[in-house]
Amino acid sequence: MKKLIILIGLLFLVFGSSTCTKPPDNSAEISSPTTPKQSSSLATSLTSISSPSQQRKRQRVGHGLGMRRWERGTAIILKDKEKASFALTTYVATFQKIQETLPALGKVMAHPLRQAIVSYPFSARIAAIHVSQGDWVKKGDPLVTLYSQTVGEARSAYYKAIADYELAKVNYEREKNLFDKGVGAKKNLLAAEAQLKVAQSNLEEAEKKLHVLGFNEKQVKEMAQSHQISPSITLFAPISGKIATSQAILGAMVSESTEIMTILDPRLLCIDAEVFEKDIAKIRLGQEVKVTVPAYPNKIFKGKIAYISDFLNEETRTIKVRTAIPNPDYLLKPGMLANIEIILNHQEKALVVPKEAILDEGNEHIVFVEKNGKYFPRVIKTGFQHNGLVQITDGLKAGEKVVVNGNFALKSKLYEDILEKEHVH
């Protein structure tokens, strides 16, 4: 039994060794089809062993995201049919005098120093109306006459203060005359003098109250001579301008919160605009501003920056800039939307092309330059723009022709040629 077990073990070792040492069938491995996974691995291996020059070539062609897929000197050659279908037009880059401007959107406002609200600080009734809405008035013109119980009481107190002062003055002069002759007592003179001072103080207080109620110095003097107790008071125009609004109705009651009239001088308005934080350093007081409004698109209004806010709007990251603008023809109206252009410099010579000639290429700007019937893409750097022209700071020379119309078709043609070359390779 023991011998049988040993014999079986030897047979197992012999056959097992022959199986493990069997050579692989290379022909079967070569002829077997390659799976997609194996193909991907193979492509990866081939890419990894490519030479550095081949890798740089692929990068130049533009396999990297956001990179240009063409080199400087690449030319586009069009057939006659393509030229006709593209409808190409060119513009010669030239030096011109243009202004650098900063555009912004604003709103026409009434000038804060050229408007006034006519109201009255006490309860009153409208007794007479001297102007209507839309009328032009000068400073000091009568606007409306009011009846007020407070005015009547103040007038009465003023007349009483005048009478008390005149009586105290006569009494003081009499006591002083007696004292000077040696027949009057000094204490009587001192008492008369004190009464005079009190009466004078009461008169000044009554006069100041009349000023508070709206009476001017001339009216108070006339009142002192007439001695007429009347509850009426006339309100006068505080500024020259136009009656913009009026709530005056004959016989209506007004209170201290009632805006009876609003006067606006439209000959000088202002425009409030918001300028972005990044442009704050470019603006300053006194800079010239050009303004256009939708109502008069072909007319340019001119003004100057009169105010720059000290506070930045944290939500919009903008700062308020106010432009004072003359309005002699009264064309501008408060509430209008306005496009402003802040002039950052006076006219200077700059190499310019139309903005339509410039295309975006990733993070760069390009134009197509026409030379000897060929079209070359060219990377450029731009500066400011004005009236549809853009300053070229690098990448272009004066006299070179750039494509204005049909440049999008040229760009498509450029990438079509690149794709065909990549497919061939």
Side-chain angles (χ1 to χ4, degrees), residues 166-185:
E166 291 177 349
L167 179 60
K169 185 177 180 180
V170 170
N171 187 34
Y172 170 75
E173 291 176 351
R174 182 176 62 82
E175 291 295 335
K176 187 177 185 302
N177 188 31
L178 292 176
F179 180 78
D180 291 341
K181 291 180 180 181
V183 295

Side-chain angles (χ1 to χ4, degrees), residues 312-416:
L312 182 74
N313 188 323
E314 295 184 1
E315 294 182 358
T316 61
R317 309 306 301 176
T318 58
I319 194 170
K320 180 185 292 185
V321 176
R322 177 169 295 165
T323 300
I325 182 164
N327 186 33
D329 299 326
Y330 316 120
L331 298 179
L332 297 176
K333 311 293 182 183
M336 281 183 170
L337 294 179
N339 294 307
I340 73 170
E341 287 186 343
I342 303 173
I343 299 176
L344 302 180
N345 66 341
H346 291 285
Q347 290 188 352
E348 295 181 357
K349 282 190 175 182
L351 183 64
V352 295
V353 298
K355 63 180 182 180
E356 293 82 7
I358 302 173
L359 301 178
D360 292 330
E361 178 78 356
N363 297 326
E364 298 175 320
H365 300 298
I366 67 169
V367 295
F368 284 93
V369 178
E370 189 273 328
K371 185 177 182 181
N372 299 327
K374 299 179 181 180
Y375 301 90
F376 300 85
R378 184 87 58 82
V379 176
I380 60 169
K381 292 183 180 180
T382 61
F384 56 85
Q385 57 178 303
H386 181 69
N387 288 341
L389 297 177
V390 180
Q391 179 193 24
I392 306 300
T393 59
D394 188 37
L396 201 63
K397 295 180 180 179
E400 291 187 306
K401 295 181 180 181
V402 296
V403 178
V404 178
N405 294 325
N407 47 359
F408 284 98
L410 283 178
K411 187 176 180 181
S412 298
K413 175 66 175 176
L414 171 65
Y415 280 96
E416 181 182 339

Side-chain angles (χ1 to χ4, degrees), residues 219-232:
Q219 288 176 306
V220 172
K221 289 181 179 180
E222 293 176 352
M223 195 183 303
Q225 295 175 358
S226 64
H227 292 277
Q228 293 180 355
I229 299 177
S230 171
S232 67

